[in-house]
């Protein structure tokens, strides 16, 4: 099925069929739409960010693994999903 997405705090595209989702408890998940033609199912999330992501005012991606987070006090932070395949965690170094 295609249900269950309403439970996320936030969902945004990473480009190239990658979808990032933030859970209510602050984990960042990676999904992949392998077919990208409406015939496949997006499933089997991978945990790439542990906790804390729910505290950001907004999180978005410009593609190519770049993830931007806006803090509650207005700072813009940069993170990188270097692998872009669901392995490894994002970092900001």
């Amino acid at each position: 099925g295609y249900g269950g997405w309403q439970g996320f705090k936030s969902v945004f595209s990473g480009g190239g069929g990658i979808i990032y989702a933030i859970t209510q408890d602050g984990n960042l998940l990676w999904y992949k739409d392998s077919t990208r033609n409406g015939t496949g199912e997006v499933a089997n999330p991978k945990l790439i960010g542990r906790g804390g992501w729910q505290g950001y005012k907004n999180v978005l991606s410009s593609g190519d693994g770049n993830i931007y987070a806006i803090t509650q006090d207005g700072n813009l932070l940069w993170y990188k999903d270097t692998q872009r395949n669901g392995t490894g965690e994002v970092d900001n170094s």
Side-chain angles (χ1 to χ4, degrees), residues 7-9 22-29 47 49-55:
F8 290 116
K9 182 180 185 307
I22 298 174
T23 63
Q24 295 295 331
D25 60 353
N27 290 323
L28 177 64
L29 303 179
L47 177 65
R50 297 183 192 283
W53 289 87
Q54 80 280 18

Side-chain angles (χ1 to χ4, degrees), residues 14-18 20 30-32 48 61 63-66 80-88:
I18 295 172
Y20 298 107
W30 177 95
Y31 288 87
K32 178 77 175 194
I48 63 168
S61 175
D64 294 324
N66 296 307
K80 184 73 173 182
D81 177 7
T82 55
Q83 303 301 316
R84 298 190 72 218
N85 63 8
T87 63

Side-chain angles (χ1 to χ4, degrees), residues 50-83:
R50 297 183 192 283
W53 289 87
Q54 80 280 18
Y56 293 121
K57 183 175 180 71
N58 196 5
V59 182
L60 57 121
S61 175
S62 64
D64 294 324
N66 296 307
I67 298 173
Y68 299 94
I70 301 172
T71 64
Q72 294 297 329
D73 57 355
N75 291 314
L76 179 65
L77 305 178
W78 174 85
Y79 291 90
K80 184 73 173 182
D81 177 7
T82 55
Q83 303 301 316

Side-chain angles (χ1 to χ4, degrees), residues 30-32 41-46:
W30 177 95
Y31 288 87
K32 178 77 175 194
E41 185 171 330
V42 178
N44 303 317
K46 307 287 190 237

